[in-house]
Amino acid sequence: MSTQSDTMPESFPAQRAAPGALSATRPLYWSVRRELWENRSIYFAPLAVGGVFLLGFMVTLVHLPAKMRALSGLDPMHFREGMAVPYDFAAGLMMFTTILVSVFYCIDALHSERRDRSILFWKSLPVSDLTTVLAKASVPFVILPVIATVIGAGLHLVMLLLSSIVLLGSGQPVAPLWAQLPVIPMSLLLLYHIVTAHALWPAPVYCWLLLVSGWARRAAFLWAIVPVVAITAFEELVFHTARFAALVGYRLIGNAPVTSFRPDDMFPTNPMTHITPGTFLSTPSLWIGLAVAAIFLAAAVRLRRYRGPI
C-alpha cells in the first residue's frame, strides 16, 4: 500500500501533462473539420456539377460509335483532340466550380459566425484566432483543390467506363480510347492546374474576401467589390485606363504562367502538356501576391480577435 501511494502523486501530473503534448496541430485539424461540417457546399457543389454533366454526357453516348469510326483513321494527336473534348470540358467545369465556391465561401467564412452569433461559442473554446483563420483559408488553398481533383478524376473514370461499354456493345476496340485518355496523368495535371492557377495565383483575392468577411457588418460581398469599382472608376476618369480591374480579373481567373502550350496542345489536361513549375515559382507577381495575401490574412486574424457578433 505504501509503495502504491508513493507512486500515485507522480503518475497524476504525468497523466495531466500527456494530453497537452499530443499535437499542436490538433486544433487546426478539428477546425478544418468544422468547416467541412458547416459548409457542405464545399463538396456538394462540385458533386452536383459533375452529376449534371455526367447525365448530359450519357445522352451523347449514342453518337460515340459513329464518332469513333470517323476518328479512327487520324493520327493519335488528332484522335485525342476529337475524343477529349468532353473530358477537357469536365475538367474546365471543375476549375470554374472551384473559383465560384472559393469566392462565395471566403466572403461568408468569417461573416456567418458573427451573423448567427456562433462566434461566442467558438471563442470560448481553446482555439486561437490564428488557427481559426488558417483553417478557413485552407479551404480555397487546400481542401477545394483536392476535392475538385478527386471528383474530376472520378468523373473521367466513369466517362471512360461508360464509353467502353458503349464501344464494346458496338463491336469497336476500347484500347485507343484508354491509351489517349489516361486517367492518372490527366488527374495530376488537373491538380497541378487548380493548385497553381486557381489557388496560389488568386490568393490575394481570396484573402481580401476573408478580410472583408471579418470586417463588414452586413452586405459583405458589396463591401468587397466597392473598392474595386471605386478605384477602377477613378483610374478611368483620371488616366483613361482600367489596369486595376484587369489586374483583379487577371488574378481571379487564374491566368498564370503554369504551362507552356503549343499550337496543337491547348488543353491543360492533355498528357502532352508541358508544365512549367519553375517559371511559375520564379514569377515575381506570384510572390508579390502571396505577400499581399499574408498581409490580408494577418489583418483578418486581428479583426477576429476584436470583432463580436453582429
Side-chain angles (χ1 to χ4, degrees), residues 195-213:
V195 169
T196 53
H198 304 303
L200 295 179
W201 190 253
V205 177
Y206 296 152
C207 292
W208 164 253
L209 295 176
L210 282 172
L211 174 59
V212 175
S213 178

Side-chain angles (χ1 to χ4, degrees), residues 66-255:
K67 183 178 181 180
M68 191 75 171
R69 285 191 293 268
L71 296 174
S72 59
L74 300 178
D75 59 90
M77 182 179 298
H78 290 89
F79 175 82
R80 190 216 177 263
E81 289 180 359
M83 296 301 299
V85 173
Y87 298 85
D88 290 319
F89 190 75
L93 276 179
M94 289 298 104
M95 298 175 194
F96 182 69
T97 304
T98 299
I99 296 173
L100 282 183
V101 176
S102 296
V103 168
F104 285 100
Y105 167 82
C106 288
I107 199 61
D108 195 54
L110 293 169
H111 189 261
S112 61
E113 65 176 9
R114 296 167 55 222
R115 185 176 59 244
D116 61 18
R117 306 182 72 86
S118 63
I119 189 173
L120 298 174
F121 170 74
W122 295 114
K123 281 195 172 186
S124 68
L125 299 179
V127 180
S128 66
D129 297 295
L130 176 61
T131 298
T132 300
V133 173
L134 288 180
K136 293 180 182 297
S138 70
V139 171
F141 296 141
V142 180
I143 305 300
L144 268 171
V146 172
I147 290 176
T149 301
V150 171
I151 294 175
L155 191 59
H156 283 165
L157 180 59
V158 173
M159 291 166 66
L160 280 171
L161 290 174
L162 292 174
S163 299
S164 300
I165 294 173
V166 172
L167 290 176
L168 289 174
S170 63
Q172 298 190 49
V174 298
L177 186 68
W178 286 82
Q180 294 299 322
L181 299 170
V183 175
I184 294 179
M186 289 195 303
S187 302
L188 293 176
L189 280 169
L190 177 61
L191 176 63
Y192 168 79
H193 193 89
I194 292 179
V195 169
T196 53
H198 304 303
L200 295 179
W201 190 253
V205 177
Y206 296 152
C207 292
W208 164 253
L209 295 176
L210 282 172
L211 174 59
V212 175
S213 178
W215 171 82
R217 293 187 60 86
R218 56 182 57 87
F221 189 79
L222 182 62
W223 282 111
I225 64 175
V226 161
V228 178
V229 174
I231 294 174
T232 301
F234 177 82
E235 181 187 355
E236 177 66 30
L237 184 64
V238 176
F239 302 104
H240 304 290
T241 60
R243 294 179 180 177
F244 183 76
L247 175 63
V248 175
Y250 176 73
R251 285 283 180 175
L252 185 58
I253 65 173
N255 192 8

Side-chain angles (χ1 to χ4, degrees), residues 35 139 154 171 306:
E35 298 305 314
V139 171
Y306 299 107

